[in-house]
Amino acid sequence: MRLRALLDTDALGLKLLGGEDELDRTVRGVMTTDLRDPSRYLAGGELVLTGLAWRRDAADAEPFVRILVQAGVVALAAGEAELGAVPEDLVVACARHRLPLFAVNESVAFATITEHVVRQVSGERAGDLAAVVDRHRRMMTSGPAGGGPDVVLDLLGSDLDLRAWLLSPTGRLIAGPEVDGPALPAGVCGRLAAEHLAASRTGRRGPHRVTLEGTTYSLFPIRSGGRTPQAARDVRQTVLSDWLLAVEADASDWAEERLDLLHGVTQLIAVERDRRDAARTVRRRLAQEVLELVQTGAPPAEIAARLRVAAPVLLPGLGSAPHWQVVVARVEWDAGPVENGPVAQSLLEEILADPVGGSSGRAYPRTGNEPSDRIAVAHSGGEAIALVPLPAVPTDPDGPEAGILADALLRSVHDPLAAGLDGDGRVTLGVSAAVHSAEGLRGALEEARHARRVAAARPGRVCAAGHQELASHVLLLPFVPDDVRRAFTARLLDPLRDYDRRHRAELIPTLEAFLDCDGSWTRCATRLHLHVNTLRYRVGRIEQLTGRDLSRLEDKLDFFLALRMS
């Protein structure tokens, strides 16, 4: 379709700000983004929609427009909902690069424009299959005629005779066809998610072909530029949050028109994913506010006030303040640094959408809203921190423990993540006990962090630990007699202190950093501004002086306790 046709469609609410001579350009796709550099996600021929969140000052417009032009974008449409009128510096930059620029009225959603472009472009490519795409738009509506991703999957079955499932990166079934026939087993979902993660890590373009138990599936990634962290160029920043569409078919021999149609469907689902992510903005902000109050030592009354605000948002209709748990997650990569906070945040939101993996026991009550609508996750540094509401905690000490348990959390995500991360990725999780007041929240946060450290000391790509596993060391430290503490720490740390005093070698700071980085050579060397070989020499000297082996869990824990008691 041509740009002129978009301008002539009143329902889209587009106003031309520049580029009248370029309106005969052909639109071959559409993308919504607020990245400062979205070039990685552009193939050329797109209409780019932006809310201008990438713009900090007038100087940002020129490089943004230049990147779009170099990527072959045919036009830019800027929304007026956030900043009002489109800034003049963007108008000037687009005119300089001959890039047509539209303003999108604040009353028009980007999803409306996306649906229209996808329908038109798919219709031109797929001929009589355009009617299918037109019907798929019902997944985007919020009224009774809609139904979300389930509708589009049902229509794939009825119109194209394709069975398809929408899966999360952890193998959670998000949507599937509501038709007669066997359901997709949970084990197959997990294996498909693992194959998707592994294939995505190689950088190969989808769909990815997988055969499991004699059945062939084609895996289409659901990518959305709008929720990607700014300046993201590394696949590791999105691979743990992208959904996938698993189609029971071999797409390797499909005609181009059929592939185009499926890619159009993934674009529609991506818009739905963006809508769900946008709905998490308030919950993320609440979690961030509570976290900042807790970490800065704010008065419990102030924290309690924030919790009272969060409770009705996360658990509407309860009428009373719930108990809370804290879950901490960290994502680490061996092959170089990545901004892991947002990555861990997206993954933890996904994990907690179904923290028991579909088992009979549930961490959350049925309140009518989506499971993901009860999640408040913030990120601080390289870790993600979730504030988990619980409606009640049993008072019977012999009864079953309420809330999320670390082993259930690990069981629900271990297999797909472990297989998909095999090579250089690692995920560690820590879970606190339930607390019933603002006074207990700081302790719960520290408890979850300590539990995550215990998990990080274990072998494996995906590990979790709960507060129960801290009783043997961290929680008992205050009760160790002083003479025992002094003897224990002297035996382990005095040889290092003496060596540091004589040689200024900084072995104690190196040991602290090495344990704090969970034994990661790359991350520890980066923190200390050392070459990895220098770090290995220092750790070797520590082991030589103490007779311990820092690759062993027991010795790591002894050093951890000695440093804590010193």
Side-chain angles (χ1 to χ4, degrees):
M1 67 177 301
R2 299 189 184 278
L3 288 175
R4 192 179 305 279
L6 290 174
L7 193 61
D8 293 340
T9 305
D10 295 337
L12 299 184
L14 297 177
K15 180 174 64 176
L16 184 65
L17 301 181
E20 185 174 359
D21 296 338
E22 307 294 334
L23 292 180
D24 287 329
R25 292 184 179 185
T26 299
V27 180
R28 293 194 294 271
V30 61
M31 176 189 178
T32 300
T33 186
D34 277 316
L35 298 178
R36 304 185 75 180
D37 179 4
S39 57
R40 177 167 178 246
Y41 303 97
L42 296 169
E46 293 94 350
L47 167 67
V48 169
L49 309 174
T50 181
L52 300 176
W54 51 266
R55 183 183 181 275
R56 298 172 183 170
D57 53 48
D60 291 336
E62 170 67 24
F64 180 76
V65 172
R66 185 170 59 250
I67 288 169
L68 297 187
V69 171
Q70 291 173 348
V73 168
V74 298
L76 175 65
E80 296 179 332
E82 186 70 23
L83 302 179
V86 176
E88 183 63 24
D89 51 87
L90 184 59
V91 177
V92 172
C94 288
R96 182 181 299 117
H97 291 277
R98 300 179 63 84
L99 181 67
L101 175 64
F102 299 96
V104 182
N105 189 278
E106 63 180 356
S107 64
V108 178
F110 282 177
T112 300
I113 300 173
T114 299
E115 294 167 25
H116 180 82
V117 172
V118 169
R119 290 200 309 272
Q120 296 299 318
V121 171
S122 297
E124 293 172 2
R125 291 177 178 174
D128 59 346
L129 292 178
V132 179
V133 178
D134 183 62
R135 291 172 63 190
H136 290 166
R137 68 183 174 82
R138 285 188 287 162
M139 69 165 283
M140 303 305 302
T141 65
S142 57
D150 295 280
V151 171
V152 71
L153 300 187
D154 287 340
L155 291 174
L156 281 176
S158 62
D159 288 60
L160 299 182
D161 196 27
L162 291 175
R163 298 183 73 222
W165 299 266
L166 187 60
L167 306 176
S168 78
T170 63
R172 179 173 66 93
L173 181 62
I174 299 169
E178 297 180 0
V179 295
D180 294 334
L184 196 64
V188 173
C189 290
R191 292 170 65 186
L192 290 174
E195 294 286 350
H196 164 71
L197 285 176
S200 298
R201 294 288 308 285
T202 66
R204 291 190 289 115
R205 186 176 180 180
H208 308 122
R209 182 179 177 274
V210 176
T211 300
L212 297 178
E213 301 176 1
T215 302
T216 298
Y217 302 89
S218 295
L219 309 181
F220 292 80
I222 308 294
R223 297 193 175 99
S224 177
R227 62 185 171 82
T228 305
Q230 285 200 358
R233 299 182 181 181
D234 194 317
V235 68
R236 294 173 295 176
Q237 292 186 289
T238 58
V239 69
L240 295 180
S241 57
D242 283 340
W243 288 352
L244 68 140
L245 181 66
V247 180
E248 190 180 288
D250 185 352
S252 61
D253 58 356
W254 282 4
E256 183 177 352
E257 291 81 2
R258 196 174 182 88
L259 280 173
D260 285 342
L261 178 63
L262 264 293
H263 285 303
V265 169
T266 63
Q267 284 187 305
L268 291 177
I269 297 176
V271 174
E272 168 70 6
R273 175 65 191 268
D274 281 346
R275 183 189 67 78
R276 295 191 183 189
D277 281 354
R280 291 180 176 176
T281 302
V282 173
R283 297 189 295 280
R284 285 178 170 180
R285 185 166 63 247
L286 285 172
Q288 198 72 46
E289 291 173 354
V290 173
L291 174 62
E292 289 172 0
L293 291 174
V294 171
Q295 293 191 132
T296 56
E302 186 175 355
I303 299 174
R306 291 294 183 188
L307 291 178
R308 285 194 294 272
V309 172
V313 174
L314 301 176
L315 290 173
L318 281 185
S320 61
H323 293 71
W324 303 92
Q325 270 183 290
V326 175
V327 181
V328 174
R330 184 181 286 273
V331 176
E332 297 168 326
W333 305 96
D334 298 337
V338 174
E339 187 184 358
N340 284 325
V343 180
Q345 181 182 44
S346 295
L347 179 62
L348 189 54
E349 286 174 335
E350 170 53 46
I351 291 173
L352 293 178
D354 186 10
V356 292
S359 63
S360 57
R362 299 196 64 83
Y364 307 120
R366 294 289 188 182
T367 57
N369 53 343
E370 296 269 349
S372 59
D373 291 343
R374 296 183 286 269
I375 300 166
V377 184
H379 69 85
S380 176
E383 68 182 4
I385 301 164
L387 191 63
V388 180
L390 302 171
V393 173
T395 57
D396 180 6
D398 298 324
E401 186 170 352
I404 296 174
L405 301 178
D407 56 351
L409 200 64
L410 180 63
R411 193 164 53 245
S412 68
V413 301
H414 178 274
D415 290 349
L417 287 181
L421 296 174
D422 188 25
D424 69 346
R426 194 156 194 253
V427 174
T428 50
L429 303 160
V431 182
S432 79
V435 296
H436 67 279
S437 67
E439 289 85 350
L441 207 54
R442 183 177 181 85
L445 174 59
E446 290 305 314
E447 194 172 60
R449 282 175 165 163
H450 284 313
R452 194 206 63 79
R453 290 179 185 275
V454 171
R458 295 170 175 164
R461 290 292 173 181
V462 184
C463 299
H467 64 95
Q468 309 92 330
E469 300 174 66
L470 302 181
S472 62
H473 47 284
V474 176
L475 298 184
L476 294 180
L477 290 183
F479 303 99
V480 177
D482 288 343
D483 55 342
V484 176
R485 291 159 67 101
R486 283 192 295 270
F488 181 77
T489 57
R491 186 168 64 253
L492 276 178
L493 301 183
D494 278 359
L496 307 182
R497 292 185 178 124
D498 292 339
Y499 191 90
D500 281 348
R501 195 162 40 246
R502 293 195 309 269
H503 302 281
R504 298 181 180 180
E506 297 187 335
L507 295 185
I508 292 290
T510 300
L511 176 61
E512 291 174 333
F514 188 75
L515 295 176
D516 191 52
C517 293
D518 304 323
S520 169
W521 297 99
T522 302
R523 196 153 58 87
C524 184
T526 300
R527 175 180 296 189
L528 296 175
H529 305 289
L530 297 175
H531 192 279
V532 172
N533 288 343
T534 303
L535 175 62
R536 291 185 185 277
Y537 172 83
R538 289 188 183 182
V539 170
R541 179 65 66 180
I542 291 170
E543 293 174 335
Q544 181 183 30
L545 292 170
T546 61
R548 299 300 187 104
D549 181 358
L550 276 167
S551 67
R552 298 178 68 247
L553 173 60
E554 293 84 351
D555 289 342
K556 283 182 181 177
L557 286 176
D558 281 348
F559 277 122
F560 173 76
L561 293 172
L563 289 169
R564 277 304 176 107
M565 291 189 293
S566 64

